[in-house]
């Protein structure tokens, strides 16, 4: 998702309508294990930082407060 994907840092972003770019990105990941591993590890670290239980509780509380009035 947009919260996690930082192009070439935590994943490879391709336009939704471009099957050619999707094929290129998938081939790149299949052919480059080091890139695949580094993107996966970076994405996991980012998810662990952004989606802690405390962070998610805070976000739900903010959402609740914004819609309750």
């Amino acid at each position: 998702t947009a919260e996690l994907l930082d192009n070439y840092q935590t994943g490879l972003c391709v336009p939704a309508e471009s099957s050619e770019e999707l094929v290129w990105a998938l081939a790149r990941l299949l052919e480059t294990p080091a890139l695949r591993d580094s993107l996966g590890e970076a994405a996991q670290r980012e998810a662990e930082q952004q989606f802690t239980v405390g962070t998610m509780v805070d976000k739900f509380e903010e959402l609740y407060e914004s819609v309750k009035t």
Side-chain angles (χ1 to χ4, degrees):
T1 64
E3 292 97 8
L4 289 178
L5 186 61
D6 183 7
N7 204 21
Y8 288 97
Q9 299 299 313
T10 57
L12 298 177
C13 185
V14 297
E17 67 281 351
S18 179
S19 59
E20 293 85 12
E21 289 188 53
L22 178 59
V23 168
W24 173 86
L26 291 172
R28 182 109 194 265
L29 293 172
L30 286 170
E31 296 166 355
T32 318
L35 175 63
R36 183 177 61 234
D37 292 346
S38 72
L39 292 176
E41 290 167 3
Q44 182 175 355
R45 280 192 306 274
E46 188 71 19
E48 289 170 350
Q49 291 174 1
Q50 286 193 30
F51 298 103
T52 66
V53 171
T55 300
M56 297 309 294
V57 168
D58 291 344
K59 288 181 180 183
F60 277 112
E61 286 177 345
E62 289 172 18
L63 175 62
Y64 176 77
E65 289 297 324
S66 73
V67 297
K68 87 173 185 182
T69 54

